[in-house]
Structure formats: C-alpha cells, structure tokens
Amino acid sequence: MPQETGTIHDQRVVRIKLFYHECALPVVDMFNQIRDLSLPPIRSTYEMVLDGAARQAIKITFEAPPETRSLPIVIALAPGTFQTGFWKAEVLTGVTPTPDVTDRRLVVLLKELLGPDSDQYALITDTHGAIIAQRRKIETYDRGSFNCEVIVGQPVRLTLAACLNLNLSLGYMDENIMTDKSPKGALNAPTVPVPSDEDTFRDRKSISDFDLYTLYHDKTQAEQFFRWKARKVQEAMGRPCVVGDILVADANAFDRRYTCPPNAVPLIPFPPHTAAYLDEARRPQSVGTIEAIQSTDRFEVRITRVMKTAAEGSQIAAVYEVTLGDQTLCLKVFDDRLYPIEPPENPSEPLRYWFDGLKTAADSVRTEQRVYQRLVHAQGSVIPWYYGAHSFTLPDGHQTFGILMEFVKGSDPEEADLGGRTEAEQIAFIKSARHAVRVLQYGDISQLDWESTQIICAPRTQQSSSGRLEPSVGCVFIDFTSATQSDTAYNSHQVDDYGNVLEILSDPVVGLPKRLLVEHFEPREDWDYYITNPLKDMD
C-alpha cells in the first residue's frame, strides 16, 4: 500500500512540473517575442513548495524589468486535486475554507507567499480550475484576509497571460510589431532543406500548406510558391464543377480542424420592432438537411446550377445551387488555388508585400462562419439559415472547404424590379433592409465590400392590418467573406454599412422613390459616427 501511494505521489510531481514546461513557459515565450527588444526578457523559475503525501505543489515566479510592478506568483497543483468550489468568491478569511487538510496547507502557504503589504496576485491552479487571490487592503477587513476570485471556463494559459499583462509596464510590449508576420500554415523546421519543386507540387495541396512567415523571409521559397501557384491554377481550371457533378462531403470537417474565436463584444439588444420583424420574417429551417448532415460522417450534394465560379470574381469562392436529398441548398466552395495573386513586378520589393491580403480557404470559411455564429438569432430572416462548414472533394480530386446555407429565392436590387412593385411592397422592403442593417450593427459586424449582389430581394407574404396575407419583399444579406468584427487591439473596423446599403437602394436602377427611402429607412443609430447621406444626390 505505501508503495502505491509513493507511485501516485511521484506521478503527481511529474505532472506538476510538466505544467511549468507546457503552460507557463509558452506564455512567457509569447511575451518575450512581442516585447520591446531594448528591454530584458521575462524570466521564470519554479521550486517545490509542498511535497507531502496528500498535497504537492510548485511555486512559479517571474522576473521582469525593474520598472514593472510585481508579477504574479503561480501555485501549480496536480491536475484534478483542487476543489475551487470550496473557496469563497469574495473574501477568503484566515478561517480554513474547507475541512480538507490539504487546502488548509494552501492557506498557510498563501499567507507566506503574499505578505500583509504585498500587492502581488497569486494564481492557484490544477489546470482544471483556478482562483486568483490578493491581500485585502481595506482597513475594515482583517489584513490577514484575501480577495479571492474563482476563474470559470477560461484556459489557464489565457488566465496567466492576463495576469502577466496586467502587471507589465505600458511600454514593455512593442506596439509596432506587424501582426501579419505570424505563421499561418504548417511550420517548417529551419534545419530541413527546401523541398524540390516536384515534391512541393505533389505534397502541398493548398495555400494553408505553406508557412507565411517563411514566405516573408525566404525569397527562394517565395518564388517557389508562385511556381506552385501557377501549376495549381492550371489544375483547378482544367476541370471546373458543372451541373450534374456530385460532390462528396466530409461532414463538419472544418470544425474538427479549426476553431472560430467568439466575438468579445456583448450583443446589443434589438429595438422591439426589429426583434418582432425577425420573428415574423423567419423562414422554416430545413430539418431534413440537419438530419442528413448529423446522421453520417459523409454526405453527397448534386450541383443543379452554377451561380458563380471563382474565376469570375476577385476572390476564391464559387457558388452553386445544390440538392441534398430532396432539399435545395446553396453551397459556397473556397478553392484558394485560384486566389488572385501574381509575382511582383518589382522583385526587389520586401517579401511581405508580395503576399499582401493573401487568404486561405480556411481564412474565408472562418470569417463567414463567425458571422453566422454571431448572428444565429437572425438566421432564417435577414440572413440565410446556416448548415455548417464541411470538406468537399471536387471533380479533379482536390479537397477544400465549403459552407452550406439555405437557398434564398430572389434577385439583387438591380434586377428585382422594385420600381414596379406596389408602394406597400416597396415600403416593406425598405423597412426590412433597415432591420437587416441594424442586425449587423448591433452584432458588431461590418461588410467591407458592399455590392448590390450581397442583397437578395426575397419574395414573401406578410399579414396586412386587416389580417389578410399579402405579397411582400424581404431583404436578406449574403456573402460575408470580407466581413469584419471587433478586435481587442484594432477596434476601428467598421465601414459605413448604413450609408453603403442606402447608396445601393438609392441607385436609380433600383427604382425606389426617394420619398419612401427618406420616410422609412429610419435615421442612423445615435452612436453611428458616419455622417454621409447618399439621398442628397438623389433626384
């Protein structure tokens, strides 16, 4: 029996030390890479501070430039041995928070590490849960007590990075580091020789198979990329998708490989009349499509119409009308072999300029999916229903990502003959478009490439004041490949969505009377900082 206990003890110590190398060191390394290089790097050390039969722990400390405030202390425990639920969320007094003697030792250790006048934080974690503790400074409280906050649902690396960042001086990190230097593909070991063109043409299937950082810094491999690109364009154009093709899909393959970071900005509640419109205008969801995708790892779609080929546009997306069983859907396939990028006219330009704006198929899918996930409450009304991101095998054998959506019947404003509609239908469409703009704005979404083809005038019916169903037209926004959302570092991402949509609707080709646009498109939101008015140029 003692031998078994000793084995568990040794295993726990090994796992605690692994936490230092696998969790703490990568965070320190990240800060050191983005610091102002004129300042010394952060250094970290660890030591065993508890080594009993019931509780083992290491203390991790960090050192930084003298002007930096005291950095946090980390107490790392064996995974699964820390019960955060027993720790009070506001004030941890000197009284033992739980009868468990192991946590009693932690309280004693905490008091030793954080003296009465200490301003340091202590992060206590077993990787499954974490708390942050700090000495109380208010005289009305016992100076032996602590502020104590339980961290729920956050990765420990993120929590540790936040604690370090909170205590670093403002000038410690280099704010001029170019964000586009970060690797975006399969990392290449510097000791591995550059592959031959033959190997590159054979083994690299998409832009994601290249490391962008390497392309920025190695001209030989940058030039090889463009030779690969020319070869792949020929392959992609050699056998495009046509009506009747059957594409085999690997269900939800994108989500198994990539993640879509959520938007950190809280959603703004809609005004009641916009929320009511979304409910009223919501179209039925295709239950059959959901069941067909969820019931198997693979499914097939048949192309019934080619709506747009990648060669027709400036991006990498092709759009098809497809059938899945008896369901008609819209499929948008991203083939980055067709991304419009050419070798520079001036080879002496810095390499990073050779690849300005380069996007992979995964980048495009992630941008679209983030919008649909963010606006899930508006799906089926002012945006299509979204049925996920999958991997599709194209007729030439190439595998790439695509997204499935509801097929919304209708046409863009320039082709919908809105001028020939009744005034009631025109008003309904104008109001619907204003609700759609509000959905984007309140959801922190902005389109960067507004065109009339991103708006569908979708025939629908609505109930009149007398209770009868009458013909109407609703507005549906599509194509979010270039849409943006707020970033914590670069928050000024918006364009004038209100003004751009109004400019499209006020085009004489669309045929909507200025009088109705003035009356029913509603003013801008109070916080909308744009001041343009496309209607002033309208006859």
Side-chain angles (χ1 to χ4, degrees):
M1 200 66 166
Q3 183 178 1
E4 182 181 359
T5 304
T7 301
I8 294 175
H9 169 275
D10 294 343
Q11 291 175 348
R12 286 179 174 175
V13 171
V14 170
R15 294 170 75 183
I16 294 171
K17 292 180 179 179
L18 278 176
F19 170 85
Y20 173 73
H21 294 282
E22 296 180 352
C23 184
L25 279 184
V27 173
V28 171
D29 184 55
M30 177 196 71
F31 279 105
N32 286 338
Q33 289 188 52
I34 61 177
R35 79 185 194 281
D36 183 334
L37 295 180
S38 66
L39 298 175
I42 299 175
R43 302 191 182 280
S44 61
T45 57
Y46 77 91
E47 62 176 312
M48 293 292 300
V49 287
L50 291 177
D51 193 16
R55 172 70 80 198
Q56 305 82 34
I58 63 171
K59 176 187 73 173
I60 304 173
T61 56
F62 307 91
E63 296 179 1
E67 67 272 20
T68 305
R69 292 186 296 163
S70 298
L71 296 179
I73 296 171
V74 176
I75 302 174
L77 313 172
T81 63
F82 185 41
Q83 302 297 321
T84 59
F86 292 130
W87 291 67
K88 192 173 180 181
E90 293 180 357
V91 179
L92 177 64
T93 66
V95 180
T96 305
T98 164
D100 189 343
V101 68
T102 58
D103 280 337
R104 195 175 303 162
R105 290 194 179 97
L106 277 181
V107 175
V108 174
L109 176 63
L110 199 59
K111 289 185 175 182
E112 292 176 355
L113 296 178
L114 304 182
D117 298 317
S118 173
D119 62 352
Q120 280 184 293
Y121 292 91
L123 171 63
I124 307 176
T125 181
D126 66 346
T127 69
H128 295 174
I131 67 166
I132 297 176
Q134 186 183 35
R135 283 281 188 177
R136 293 298 300 240
K137 298 294 184 181
I138 303 175
E139 294 297 332
T140 54
Y141 284 93
D142 175 14
R143 291 178 64 82
S145 64
F146 297 84
N147 282 336
C148 184
E149 182 175 352
V150 178
I151 307 300
V152 179
Q154 293 288 351
V156 175
R157 279 188 183 179
L158 179 62
T159 303
L160 174 56
C163 291
L164 285 172
N165 184 59
L166 184 65
N167 289 277
L168 287 170
S169 61
L170 290 177
Y172 187 75
M173 286 181 287
D174 185 354
E175 297 179 356
N176 295 318
I177 286 182
M178 294 186 62
T179 58
D180 59 1
K181 287 184 178 179
S182 59
K184 284 193 174 183
L187 295 175
N188 304 313
T191 56
V192 177
V194 177
S196 66
D197 279 9
E198 180 182 356
D199 291 341
T200 300
F201 296 161
R202 181 190 66 243
D203 298 335
R204 299 188 179 180
K205 310 299 183 182
S206 66
I207 293 177
S208 296
D209 293 329
F210 290 85
D211 173 43
L212 197 55
Y213 185 89
T214 301
L215 298 182
Y216 282 173
H217 292 82
D218 188 330
K219 190 172 184 179
T220 298
Q221 296 197 54
E223 292 171 338
Q224 185 184 66
F225 169 86
F226 285 104
R227 294 194 295 273
W228 170 91
K229 181 72 169 53
R231 171 71 66 89
K232 294 302 176 182
V233 167
Q234 293 177 356
E235 293 178 3
M237 298 298 292
R239 175 58 170 92
C241 292
V242 297
V243 172
D245 279 340
I246 295 177
L247 307 184
V248 178
D250 185 357
N252 302 306
F254 181 83
D255 292 329
R256 294 200 301 272
R257 183 171 177 182
Y258 297 100
T259 59
C260 291
N263 190 312
V265 178
L267 283 168
I268 304 175
F270 296 131
H273 64 305
T274 294
Y277 174 78
L278 297 183
D279 291 336
E280 174 203 345
R282 187 165 283 113
R283 300 170 297 278
Q285 191 174 20
S286 174
V287 177
T289 297
I290 298 173
E291 292 176 347
I293 293 173
Q294 292 181 346
S295 62
T296 181
D297 293 335
R298 294 184 180 274
F299 61 90
E300 295 181 348
V301 296
R302 178 187 293 273
I303 297 176
T304 55
R305 179 157 61 112
V306 178
M307 303 172 66
K308 174 189 172 185
T309 64
E312 292 172 353
S314 60
Q315 297 297 319
I316 61 177
V319 183
Y320 308 101
E321 179 184 328
V322 300
T323 56
L324 173 57
D326 60 355
Q327 309 292 318
T328 298
L329 302 170
C330 179
L331 170 63
K332 191 172 185 179
V333 174
F334 300 89
D335 187 351
D336 58 23
R337 296 178 299 175
L338 295 171
Y339 190 88
I341 184 172
E342 300 291 338
E345 295 181 1
N346 180 9
S348 63
E349 283 185 348
L351 289 178
R352 66 174 181 272
Y353 296 140
W354 292 22
F355 301 96
D356 272 350
L358 185 64
K359 292 180 69 173
T360 68
D363 292 333
S364 299
V365 171
R366 184 183 292 109
T367 301
E368 291 251 13
Q369 179 157 291
R370 287 190 71 211
V371 171
Y372 282 104
Q373 291 176 343
R374 175 72 167 175
L375 302 181
V376 63
H377 51 289
Q379 288 185 28
S381 55
V382 297
I383 64 172
W385 286 108
Y386 182 68
Y387 298 115
H390 317 278
S391 175
F392 293 87
T393 302
L394 304 183
D396 65 355
H398 181 67
Q399 291 183 329
T400 192
F401 293 115
I403 60 175
L404 274 176
M405 302 159 287
E406 169 195 11
F407 183 83
V408 180
K409 295 181 179 179
S411 54
D412 69 69
E414 294 183 1
E415 299 179 352
D417 190 24
L418 291 173
R421 294 277 185 168
T422 66
E423 183 170 300
E425 291 174 302
Q426 292 175 342
I427 292 173
F429 177 77
I430 293 170
K431 289 183 175 181
S432 173
R434 184 65 183 92
H435 289 309
V437 171
R438 184 174 289 114
V439 165
L440 294 188
Q441 290 184 310
Y442 280 51
D444 187 47
I445 308 293
S446 190
Q447 286 274 38
L448 293 185
D449 60 345
W450 277 108
E451 297 177 358
S452 63
T453 54
Q454 293 173 304
I455 301 175
I456 296 178
C457 303
R460 57 181 295 264
T461 58
Q462 70 176 19
Q463 197 169 33
S464 67
S465 56
S466 61
R468 293 181 303 175
L469 290 179
E470 297 180 343
S472 184
V473 185
C475 175
V476 179
F477 288 160
I478 59 171
D479 187 10
F480 301 106
T481 306
S482 298
T484 61
Q485 301 184 41
S486 283
D487 182 278
T488 53
Y490 306 98
N491 201 34
S492 298
H493 72 100
Q494 295 92 350
V495 297
D496 186 7
D497 297 285
Y498 174 99
N500 285 334
V501 171
L502 187 54
E503 184 175 10
I504 292 172
L505 301 187
S506 62
D507 190 315
V509 176
V510 175
L512 291 173
K514 177 179 180 180
R515 169 180 59 87
L516 297 183
L517 289 169
V518 171
E519 184 176 352
H520 296 288
F521 200 69
E522 296 187 25
R524 293 178 180 272
E525 310 298 337
D526 292 340
W527 37 260
D528 192 342
Y529 51 78
Y530 286 95
I531 59 174
T532 59
N533 181 11
L535 296 179
K536 69 181 180 180
D537 299 323
M538 193 175 179
D539 293 334

